[in-house]
Amino acid sequence: MTSASPAEVRGQTPRRRRGDSRRGDSIFFNLSRGAGVLLLVIMAAIAGFLAYRSALALGKNEGNFLTTFEWTPDAAKPVFGIAVLTFGTLVSAVIAMVIAVPIAVGIALFISHYAPRRIAQPFAYLVDLLAAVPSIVYGLWGVLFLVPHMDGLTSWMDQYLGWTYVFSQSSSGVPPRNLFTVGILLAIMVLPIITAVTREVFRQVPRMHEEAALALGATRWEMIRTAVLPFGRPGIISASMLGLGRALGETIAVATVLSTNSKLSLHLLDPGGGTFAENIALKFNEAQPLGRDALMASGLVLFVITLLVNGAARVIIARRKEYSGAAA
C-alpha cells in the first residue's frame, strides 16, 4: 500500500502540479497576446493595402474626391468622388438605427423582464434565428414585398410631413426604391443582432439591485428605469454599434432594393442615391484597373468611418464605466 506524501496529507498541491499550472498560464497568456498582435497586424495590412491602392487612383483623379458627385473613373478623363456615397451610407444607417434601437431595447426588456418563461424562450430563439437569415433573403423580400407596400406610407409622409422638405416627394408615381426604404430594410436586418446582445446584458443585472428597488416600493417600470437600464447602458451602446457596423457595410440587400444614381438629393423619398458597399459590389466586376483602385479608395473611407464609429463607442462606454456593474 503506497503512503501519501506529506504535502498530500496536509492538503497542499505538489510542486510539480503548481509548475504545470504556471506553465499552462504562461502558454495561454502568450497565445492570447499573439492573437491580439496578429489582429493588429492584419488590420494594419488591410489599411496599408487600401491606402496604397487609393493613392494610385487619387493621383489620376480629375475631380475632388470628397465633393464630386460623379463616378466615372474609367472614362478618358477620370472623375470620381464619394459625396453621394457618404451621404447615402450615413443617412440610411442613421434611419436604421433610429428605428431599430428603441424597438430592440423594448423586445429585450419584454423577453428578460416581462414575458413568462414559456413565451420568452421561444421568442428569444426566434430573434436569434432571424439574425442568421442571409442578406440576399432580406434583399429579395425587400424588393418583392417591402417596396410595393411602401407606396401608402411614402404618400402619407409626403402629404403630412412634406413641409419638412426631407420627407417631400419631388417625383410621384415611381417605386419607392429610395434611401428611406433602404433604412427600414436595414433596421429589420440589424434588429435581431441588437436585441440578442441587449437581452443578454439585461440578464446580467444583479438580482439584488432589482429586488432592492422593488423592496423600496418601485413599480416594475421604475425598477427597470433605475436598476436595469443604467446597468445595461454600456451594453446597449455596444449592441447598437455592432448593428451600426452591419448597417454601414451591408451590400446585397441595399443593391437589390436601392435605385442608384449619382444625384445627391435631400428628398429621402425620391429614388436614387448610393452607399459605399453597394457601389463596390455593383461596379467591381466591370471596372478597369483605375476603376478598381477608385473603389479601393472608397473602401478605405468606409474602413475609416467604421473605425471612428467603434472608437466613439469605446469612449462613450469608458465614460459610463460606473454603470458597468463591475463593482456590483
Side-chain angles (χ1 to χ4, degrees), residues 64-115:
N64 190 304
F65 182 66
L66 298 178
T67 60
T68 300
F69 294 173
E70 188 178 356
W71 188 271
T72 56
D74 293 322
K77 182 181 179 180
V79 177
F80 55 91
I82 59 171
V84 175
L85 304 180
T86 304
F87 178 80
T89 300
L90 296 180
V91 168
S92 59
V94 168
I95 294 174
M97 299 308 295
V98 169
I99 297 174
V101 172
I103 298 176
V105 173
I107 295 175
L109 286 174
F110 172 77
I111 295 174
S112 61
H113 288 82
Y114 283 94

Side-chain angles (χ1 to χ4, degrees), residues 292-311:
R292 294 191 177 186
D293 290 340
L295 293 175
M296 293 290 182
S298 66
L300 177 61
V301 175
L302 180 59
F303 183 78
V304 172
I305 291 175
T306 304
L307 290 181
L308 292 177
V309 167
N310 285 277

Side-chain angles (χ1 to χ4, degrees), residues 229-244:
L229 292 180
F231 179 90
R233 188 177 288 113
I236 296 174
I237 296 173
S238 300
S240 301
M241 294 303 104
L242 183 63
L244 180 58

Side-chain angles (χ1 to χ4, degrees), residues 66-185:
L66 298 178
T67 60
T68 300
F69 294 173
E70 188 178 356
W71 188 271
T72 56
D74 293 322
K77 182 181 179 180
V79 177
F80 55 91
I82 59 171
V84 175
L85 304 180
T86 304
F87 178 80
T89 300
L90 296 180
V91 168
S92 59
V94 168
I95 294 174
M97 299 308 295
V98 169
I99 297 174
V101 172
I103 298 176
V105 173
I107 295 175
L109 286 174
F110 172 77
I111 295 174
S112 61
H113 288 82
Y114 283 94
R117 183 176 296 274
R118 64 179 183 275
I119 298 177
Q121 289 183 345
F123 202 73
Y125 176 76
L126 178 61
V127 171
D128 295 339
L129 187 63
L130 289 175
V133 175
S135 299
I136 186 61
V137 176
Y138 282 110
L140 292 174
W141 175 83
V143 72
L144 297 177
F145 179 84
L146 181 61
V147 171
H149 289 80
M150 285 291 294
D151 289 324
L153 177 59
T154 54
S155 299
W156 181 88
M157 297 180 69
D158 178 48
Q159 181 178 357
Y160 293 100
L161 299 176
W163 56 271
T164 61
Y165 185 83
V166 175
F167 294 114
S168 63
Q169 283 183 295
S170 60
S171 58
S172 58
V174 294
R177 302 180 65 174
N178 48 48
L179 291 176
F180 184 73
T181 303
V182 169
I184 294 178
L185 180 62

